[in-house]
């Protein structure tokens, strides 16, 4: 009898120890994610704002994405840490829970809508580059970003009036949608919208990949004889003299064949961008954004699966370990974007290295020509 009573007393103590260990691990991991997200996104924002060569349409969207992740890490994650420290309970009012849940859903849909708009602009940059270069200016980027924030707010705002429910979910340690059975709740539309947007984004990238694949074989160059006017050769068939004139700033018409793949040094008020250089730049940026989109899909898929199971299966019991891992994967997404951006974009790495050398007082001479 004594042994059985001692075993019964050790059971609750072991459960308390396991619960305390799990809470400590959650706090430590979330603090690490928050710090990495704030540091990485802040560094990338400073780089995009400071370097004037990065003031382009493709990087304006990246700047908005980083700013949104900074806000998410600073606004939403501290409340999750407080709730974990309070024993998986919400210590504040119901209104504050709704506001935090509104912010979480807002930032989630913002990333989804922004990545979809970016995928469309990437396709335009590859398939219709002339139209893209003329229309994608600062005003257009600001209009697209404002539209994305408006759509995100429209998706996150209805639960405030009772369409869907915002409440504290103890199993997830956060204020979020209360996903219940489909006949007792109306959050199915929100989950379907998120899945449709992510699927449409990947469909646009697949279309862009098919376009690049179908146009990967270029037509052979036709030899056209050079034209001579007063012993100055010009035209597609010209070589040495046309190249010299073009480098001196007097060239007109298409780029001479001998200079294809060579970037001309930037002069005051005059700069030429080559088709090959533009294509490689747009392709590199498109690869970076696709990896960000793919990471978003991978990190959010487990949590979306739990939402669908709660909606379509009545009374389902999801394992706590799986649910916690799925929620924490959505948190990791906030700090993954800067890592992916620097990993898959050589230009960002070079600019960041140049900023570090500039801060350290070391300057490297710029070469006038860069052979691709």
């Amino acid at each position: 009898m004594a042994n059985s009573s001692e075993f019964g007393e050790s059971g609750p103590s072991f459960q308390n120890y396991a619960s305390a260990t799990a809470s400590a691990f959650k706090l430590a991991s979330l603090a690490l994610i928050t710090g990495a997200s704030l540091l990485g996104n802040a560094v990338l924002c400073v780089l995009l704002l400071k370097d004037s060569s990065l003031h382009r349409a493709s990087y304006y969207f990246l700047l908005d994405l980083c700013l949104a992740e900074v806000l998410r890490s600073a606004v939403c994650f501290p409340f999750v840490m407080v709730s974990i420290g309070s024993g998986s309970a919400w210590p504040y009012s119901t209104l504050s829970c709704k506001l935090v849940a509104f912010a979480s859903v807002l930032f989630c849909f913002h990333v989804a809508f922004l990545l979809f708009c970016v995928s469309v602009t990437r396709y335009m940059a590859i398939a219709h580059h002339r139209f893209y270069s003329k229309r994608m200016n600062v005003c257009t980027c600001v209009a697209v970003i404002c539209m994305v924030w408006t759509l995100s707010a429209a998706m996150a705002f209805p639960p405030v009036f009772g369409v869907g429910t915002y409440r504290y979910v103890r199993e997830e340690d956060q204020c979020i949608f209360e996903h219940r059975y489909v006949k007792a709740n109306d959050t199915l539309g929100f989950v379907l919208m998120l899945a449709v947007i992510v699927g449409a984004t990947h469909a646009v990238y697949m279309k862009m990949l098919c376009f690049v694949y179908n146009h990967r074989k270029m037509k052979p160059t036709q030899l056209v004889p050079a034209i001579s006017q007063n012993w100055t050769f010009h035209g597609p068939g010209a070589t040495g003299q046309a190249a010299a004139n073009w480098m001196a700033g007097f060239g007109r018409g298409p780029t001479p064949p001998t200079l294809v793949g060579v970037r001309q040094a930037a002069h005051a008020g005059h700069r030429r961008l080559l088709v090959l250089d533009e294509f490689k730049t747009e392709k590199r940026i498109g690869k970076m954004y696709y990896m960000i989109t793919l990471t978003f899909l991978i990190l959010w898929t487990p949590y979306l699966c739990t939402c669908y199971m709660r909606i379509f299966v009545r009374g389902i019991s999801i394992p706590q370990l799986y649910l916690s891992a799925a929620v924490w994967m959505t948190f990791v997404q906030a700090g993954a974007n800067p890592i992916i951006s620097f990993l898959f974009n050589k230009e960002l790495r070079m600019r960041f290295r140049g900023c570090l050398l500039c801060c350290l007082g070391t300057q490297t001479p710029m070469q006038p020509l860069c052979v691709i």
Side-chain angles (χ1 to χ4, degrees):
M1 296 295 294
N3 292 335
S4 62
S5 62
E6 290 177 0
F7 178 79
E9 293 176 356
S10 62
S13 62
F14 176 77
Q15 293 179 357
N16 295 333
Y17 175 76
S19 178
T21 303
S23 299
F25 178 77
K26 289 180 179 179
L27 286 173
S29 60
L30 188 55
L32 180 62
I33 293 172
T34 304
S37 176
L38 290 174
L39 179 61
N41 287 288
V43 169
L44 189 53
C45 287
V46 172
L47 178 63
L48 294 174
L49 290 174
K50 183 179 180 180
D51 198 330
S52 59
S53 63
L54 300 178
H55 293 175
R56 305 198 300 269
S58 54
Y59 291 117
Y60 291 149
F61 297 123
L62 183 60
L63 177 62
D64 178 68
L65 183 63
C66 293
L67 290 176
E69 298 298 352
V70 168
L71 292 176
R72 181 190 177 196
S73 302
V75 173
C76 301
F77 293 170
F79 287 99
V80 178
M81 298 175 67
V82 171
S83 65
I84 296 174
S86 301
S88 297
W90 184 254
Y92 305 107
S93 62
T94 304
L95 178 60
S96 61
C97 182
K98 288 187 176 182
L99 292 177
V100 174
F102 171 81
S104 300
V105 177
L106 174 68
F107 294 132
C108 173
F109 276 102
H110 169 265
V111 175
F113 282 119
L114 183 64
L115 291 179
F116 173 73
C117 293
V118 168
S119 67
V120 175
T121 61
R122 290 298 89 211
Y123 176 77
M124 296 296 296
I126 296 295
H128 308 281
H129 183 73
R130 181 173 298 179
F131 176 82
Y132 172 83
S133 60
K134 289 182 178 180
R135 300 300 180 183
M136 286 304 297
N137 49 28
V138 179
C139 296
T140 306
C141 294
V142 171
V144 172
I145 292 173
C146 292
M147 179 190 67
V148 167
W149 280 108
T150 303
L151 292 176
S152 304
M155 291 301 301
F157 203 77
V160 177
F161 293 102
V163 182
T165 305
Y166 283 153
R167 76 174 187 90
Y168 180 76
V169 182
R170 179 183 175 86
E171 295 80 8
E172 301 180 12
D173 296 310
Q174 64 174 343
C175 290
I176 199 67
F177 274 128
E178 182 187 8
H179 296 288
R180 296 174 294 180
Y181 188 60
V182 62
K183 293 183 179 181
N185 200 9
D186 44 12
T187 59
L188 177 60
F190 299 95
V191 182
L192 283 177
M193 177 60 71
L194 184 61
V196 168
I197 290 298
V198 176
T201 304
H202 281 81
V204 175
Y205 278 113
M206 291 302 103
K207 184 176 181 180
M208 183 178 69
L209 182 63
C210 293
F211 177 85
V212 175
Y213 179 79
N214 294 331
H215 293 76
R216 72 190 188 281
K217 293 183 179 180
M218 301 181 64
K219 296 181 181 179
T221 305
Q222 298 179 356
L223 297 178
V224 181
I227 302 174
S228 175
Q229 294 180 357
N230 299 327
W231 298 99
T232 301
F233 293 92
H234 59 88
T239 54
Q241 185 61 44
N245 292 341
W246 191 85
M247 292 297 295
F250 298 102
R252 295 182 179 180
T255 304
T258 55
L259 293 179
V260 173
V262 180
R263 181 192 290 273
Q264 187 185 17
H267 298 285
H270 181 74
R271 184 186 180 192
R272 292 180 182 268
L273 293 177
L274 303 184
V275 175
L276 182 60
D277 190 13
E278 291 176 349
F279 177 77
K280 285 189 173 183
T281 301
E282 300 297 343
K283 184 178 179 180
R284 180 172 59 248
I285 297 175
K287 182 180 179 180
M288 177 193 70
Y289 275 116
Y290 177 72
M291 294 307 300
I292 293 176
T293 306
L294 184 62
T295 303
F296 179 82
L297 175 64
I298 294 174
L299 293 178
W300 276 87
T301 297
Y303 183 73
L304 289 178
C305 291
T306 63
C307 296
Y308 281 114
M309 287 188 291
R310 287 172 174 174
I311 292 174
F312 291 107
V313 182
R314 183 190 295 272
I316 187 173
S317 179
I318 301 175
Q320 181 61 39
L321 181 61
Y322 173 81
L323 184 58
S324 298
V327 173
W328 255 247
M329 288 178 66
T330 63
F331 295 159
V332 171
Q333 185 265 328
N337 294 336
I339 299 175
I340 297 173
S341 300
F342 284 112
L343 187 62
F344 290 94
N345 195 321
K346 183 179 179 181
E347 184 179 11
L348 289 178
R349 294 197 303 269
M350 293 177 60
R351 298 300 177 183
F352 180 68
R353 190 182 303 115
C355 288
L356 287 181
L357 294 176
C358 182
C359 294
L360 295 176
T362 305
Q363 297 182 355
T364 56
M366 298 295 294
Q367 297 181 358
L369 294 178
C370 178
V371 180
I372 302 174

